[in-house]
Amino acid sequence: MEGQASAPAEAEVREPRSLLRNRHFLLLWAGQTVGELGARITTVVVPLVAATTLHASAFQIALLTSFAWLPFLFFSLPAGILADRLDQRKLMVGCDLGRVALMTSVPVVAGLGELPLWYLYVVVSASGMLSVLFSVAYRARMPVVVKAHHLADGTAKLETSREFAEFTGPALGGLLVDLFGATRAFLGNGLAYLVSAVTLWFDRTPAAEDPAEETEAAEEREPLRKEVAEGLAFIRGRSELLAILACSTTSNFFVMAVSSLGVTFMVRELDAHSWMVGLASSISAVVGIAVGLVANRAIQRIGTARAIRLAMAVPGPLYLLMPLAPAGWGFVLYGCGLAAFSVNAVLYNVAATSYRQRITPSHLLGRVNASFLWICYGVIPLGALFGGAMAAWFGLRTALLVSVLGMWSAALFVVFSPLRRMRDLPEE
């Protein structure tokens, strides 16, 4: 890594009291925010291209979503090892540049002739693989950039950025489709990833390890299978982490079933235009941004364990607004149902993620994060296939109803777990 010789001395520099004065965190935050914006544009542009330009079926559109997330099932664990061994900043920059190339290739191919559906499958799959590596790397980098007592605050700010991207990305994606056409809208994705890469390149966070120790650690590395097993063993040894993992896995399965149907449902059942689809997502993101701004303080007041339980259980009934929305103005109700889930996601993710980062030893963090992603993100493509299959067999509205009830059921894993007797998660 760059600047290794002076790393031990630099690592002892006192961290600013506020993360807003921490240059390294601000660069990571900015890069992640812009990268999320590109990802959120994709979530609207890809299904809109498939539904309106390629006239794909509901199952084919759900399959696109599945292909985008399938790399989390097959690539998360190797990505964790790479994140522990290599320079995480350079990994993130490389992932962004790869996604720039993929996104900009779509309008080029479309300009040469008719855009085939199979090419969209290739693009979303390759982009998904790069997203896996980026996600694992930035989660492992957070504890390097900020101190342990700032992890919850830093995670809350990243969650706020995610909701900001959720607010602006879909609306911007729908607007780009209306203004420039479906395939040219991919250029907006590419530009967002390029800005993210440039921002992250200027982050020169000093390494905390001594170079001699890194060399010795490299010589003593275990076989890949054993390194992966160590990350999984750390999770199995903590009942709180297991409960959180089961909850996240169940929720992600059904959330992606909902997500894979959302655009198709609004276009074909609610008669929504492209800008309405973007606006529905933006409604939820406005609420998510507001919650993210106060998430850290709210969690400290409520208690970390209690916040996880309440965030999963309380908003559930409002999810039913999505499948019950009528045609026409129903996209507003759909957005309100998404907003309820945003409250859930922000509070839950801030409390659960900061806890995992706080208790995991730094040399295991990449593998533990990757193990979480492998399991709780690995079910996402299966959830997308489930949603598509349900829609094909029983119709879009019935499939959406089953899926939102499944989202709510994930709360059972934390409500009936060791967390139910706790106000706060244990400090280790």
Side-chain angles (χ1 to χ4, degrees):
M1 297 183 195
E2 297 176 11
Q4 281 184 332
S6 59
E10 291 179 28
E12 296 299 326
V13 175
R14 180 174 297 177
E15 185 186 41
R17 289 185 178 181
S18 171
L19 284 181
L20 297 179
R21 296 184 178 181
N22 184 330
R23 176 178 177 273
H24 304 300
F25 173 75
L26 290 176
L27 287 169
L28 176 66
W29 189 15
Q32 173 63 6
T33 300
V34 181
E36 283 285 350
L37 180 62
R40 300 304 170 182
I41 293 173
T42 305
T43 59
V44 168
V45 172
V46 169
L48 278 176
V49 169
T52 61
T53 302
L54 305 182
H55 306 292
S57 68
F59 182 76
Q60 288 173 321
I61 297 171
L63 196 61
L64 272 172
T65 305
S66 178
F67 272 50
W69 290 94
L70 202 58
F72 281 92
L73 182 60
F74 296 108
F75 191 54
S76 290
L77 294 179
I81 296 172
L82 289 174
D84 279 339
R85 290 185 174 185
L86 302 179
D87 186 324
Q88 293 143 3
R89 177 181 64 89
K90 291 181 180 178
L91 282 177
M92 294 162 70
V93 171
C95 290
D96 276 336
L97 293 177
R99 291 186 287 187
V100 169
L102 288 167
M103 294 300 115
T104 55
S105 73
V106 174
V108 173
V109 172
L112 296 175
E114 184 178 350
L115 177 69
L117 183 60
W118 66 261
Y119 189 75
L120 273 187
Y121 288 129
V122 171
V123 168
V124 298
S125 299
S127 179
M129 183 173 293
L130 294 173
S131 296
V132 172
L133 188 53
F134 186 97
S135 297
V136 174
Y138 105 76
R139 284 173 171 83
R141 189 163 179 77
M142 263 288 286
V144 177
V145 173
V146 302
K147 300 291 186 181
H149 62 278
H150 275 157
L151 279 175
D153 188 22
T155 304
K157 286 178 167 56
L158 290 171
E159 282 295 315
T160 303
S161 294
R162 188 178 65 82
E163 293 299 329
F164 172 77
E166 187 75 50
F167 165 57
T168 56
L172 182 57
L175 182 62
L176 289 172
V177 170
D178 281 340
L179 291 178
F180 304 109
T183 56
R184 292 192 187 95
F186 279 87
L187 295 174
N189 303 55
L191 179 60
Y193 289 132
L194 180 60
V195 173
S196 174
V198 172
T199 303
L200 292 169
W201 179 255
F202 286 102
D203 176 19
R204 295 293 195 272
T205 307
E209 295 82 11
D210 185 272
E213 292 179 357
E214 286 193 355
T215 301
E216 182 180 350
E219 293 174 351
E220 296 178 356
R221 281 175 182 149
E222 302 286 352
L224 295 182
R225 183 178 298 178
K226 186 171 182 180
E227 290 196 15
V228 168
E230 287 176 353
L232 293 170
F234 183 85
I235 297 171
R236 286 199 303 269
R238 287 153 181 81
S239 58
E240 298 86 4
L241 280 181
L242 282 175
I244 290 170
L245 179 59
C247 177
S248 299
T249 302
T250 304
S251 178
N252 284 349
F253 179 89
F254 288 106
V255 166
M256 192 45 57
V258 171
S259 180
S260 69
L261 301 173
V263 172
T264 311
F265 177 79
M266 284 188 277
V267 169
R268 296 179 179 173
E269 294 288 326
L270 306 187
D271 300 324
H273 298 290
S274 298
W275 66 269
M276 294 177 181
V277 174
L279 184 59
S281 297
S282 298
I283 292 171
S284 71
V286 169
V287 175
I289 292 170
V291 174
L293 293 174
V294 299
N296 187 39
R297 283 175 290 174
I299 289 169
Q300 296 305 316
R301 181 180 294 272
I302 298 171
T304 51
R306 192 180 296 163
I308 286 175
R309 298 197 307 271
L310 294 176
M312 290 302 303
V314 173
L318 295 176
Y319 301 163
L320 295 172
L321 292 174
M322 290 186 274
L324 299 180
W329 60 272
F331 75 94
V332 177
L333 287 181
Y334 194 95
C336 292
L338 288 177
F341 178 71
S342 289
V343 175
N344 167 339
V346 172
L347 292 176
Y348 177 86
N349 287 339
V350 170
T353 302
S354 58
Y355 168 66
R356 186 172 76 243
Q357 290 172 327
R358 188 173 66 249
I359 68 168
T360 305
S362 59
H363 69 282
L364 281 176
L365 191 55
R367 279 166 282 171
V368 170
N369 284 329
S371 297
F372 254 79
L373 291 179
W374 176 52
I375 297 171
C376 68
Y377 278 29
V379 301
I380 284 178
L382 305 179
L385 290 176
F386 172 81
M390 288 285 291
W393 294 335
F394 304 109
L396 282 165
R397 199 174 290 272
T398 300
L400 197 58
L401 176 61
V402 172
S403 298
V404 297
L405 289 174
M407 284 167 52
W408 193 14
S409 73
L412 298 174
F413 288 99
V414 289
V415 171
F416 298 102
S417 77
L419 277 71
R420 72 181 182 276
R421 297 186 295 269
M422 301 177 185
R423 180 190 182 278
D424 290 291
L425 291 163
E427 297 283 346
E428 296 185 33

